[in-house]
Amino acid sequence: MLKELQIRDFALIEQVHLSFYEGFSVLTGETGAGKSIIIDALSLLLGARASLEMIRTGAERALVEGLFSTPETACPLLAEWGIDAEPELIITREIHHSGRSRCWINGSLVTVNQLVQLGKYLVDILGQHDQQSLLDAARHLDMLDAFGGAELQDLRRALKEQYRKYSAVKRERERLQNQERERLVRIDLLQFQINEIDQAKLKPGEEAELVLQQHRLANIERIAATAESVYTRLQEHTDQPPLYDQLAQAVTELGSLTRYDPGIASIVEMFRQCLVQLEEGSRDLRQYIEGFDRDPETLDQIEDRLALVRTLKRKYGENEEAVLAYAEQVRQELEILLDSEIRVEKLKEEEEALSRELDRIAGELRQKRQHYARILERQIEQHLADLNMDGTRFEVRITGQPVDETGMDAVEFMIAPNVGEDLKPLAKIASGGEMSRVMLALKNCLVEVDRIPALVFDEVDTGIGGRTARSVAQKLRNLSRQFQVFVVTHLPVVASFAAHHYYVEKQEKDGRTSVSVTLLDGQERIDELVRMLGGQSDQKATTAHAKELLKQANTS
């Protein structure tokens, strides 16, 4: 609720400090006394557009400050902005001659747009002003669903959850399909890499072995020449007997000495073993020489294989084991990519099933909405009849739209205030008085729905009187049991029903006009009702009438 309002150097107001209370309050005064200035100042705190004309003549700046109780519904928004949700909110707005307009919430500098967002949770100004939340067609769907109570709210929650599931599956399916080109390119690349590695038939340690073979074959002529030379010296006759023959002759000669000295036999045996090993070594050397492969193609093949191994290492890993591990990793990725096509088909099936269920819930929600729309229409029309708008047609128009988390419906309130007129959107109503009474009727129907704590009705009594005025006053009092209600009125009947009565008047001081606001009590209030009735304070009949209005209001 609005607790206090302080205004300085704003339009004709030099300084006004007002305290407000729960329940029903009225602002009265002569036409042009400045009642609308109070509403304009409050509108500034709710994010209304500021202009330099609002600054009082001769002042450097205009200041408006309001103290509000913090509604629970506004706490998440304040937390999002990093502002502590204290029990009370102080909103400040300054307008400077420089054109700057600065705003604060509990001392934190904010933007005008933030005031607009927060204002939706604080005060609803209904009348010929911009803050008319019930005229926002985007909110009509939520109002209808709230009017329908738990039945519509439960369906709405079920629909929202179903839409969340459907949207998640749809996004995943679209993501996979949108990535189809990239997926196919990736599949081709992975298949090439796997084929390249598989065809190579790599073995761990293969490069080291190939290096050895390459080194051997690159030096084969030198190896062969040396081996041939050694074999020749061991076994073949040249200008000297072969080493084998010489060793055999030496063994024979030493063996002849054993008849003279048996102790030499062990030496002779060692030489005989050497002779055996020399013969075996010579045979193996001969086989080694005969096994030489001097084909240059063999070296070329080894070098080609070595180049292949090294290429694979550069591309896929630091050694053969790493290359083979990479191939396994690629196989797993390729399997996932190949399975994604199947995944898309499964997602399509799941999406279709979710869509059918979404349509079913949305269809059921539409039927319930149509049911509650008829009930709301009848209630609104009854309230409007009480407010001297007999014959007014009110329609909750439900049209189709693509299904989303709110359903398949677009809702807009339509009205024909006069018999024979076509239904038009609520926002197209031309008369401010009709607008205010429609707002009053809607507020009474939605009293359990709306959570905005303070309502301001401007010119709610335009064009009415008598029994209708009393009905308006009664409905405003009924609203004040749920909300803090402010009404700018010229009707004494409406004013008499208020719990708090504020009088707005212009005063002249030191050659300057200034607006003041006074909270009336006792005789002051009776005097103001007498003025509103068109009488003078010394007229007994008018005074008695004023007292009777207050008495009847208090007993109603």
Side-chain angles (χ1 to χ4, degrees), residues 336-363:
I336 293 173
L337 290 175
L338 293 174
D339 287 344
S340 67
E341 186 172 352
I342 300 174
R343 171 69 173 156
V344 168
E345 293 303 318
K346 290 182 178 178
L347 286 173
K348 284 182 180 179
E349 295 176 1
E350 187 177 357
E351 181 181 345
E352 290 173 359
L354 290 169
S355 178
R356 288 192 295 270
E357 178 62 12
L358 185 65
D359 289 340
R360 185 196 68 77
I361 298 174

Side-chain angles (χ1 to χ4, degrees), residues 135 415 417 424-432 434-435 438-439:
L135 299 185
I415 192 168
K424 296 179 180 179
L426 199 60
K428 299 294 184 181
I429 298 175
S431 165
E434 288 176 337
M435 182 100 64
V438 171
M439 295 303 102

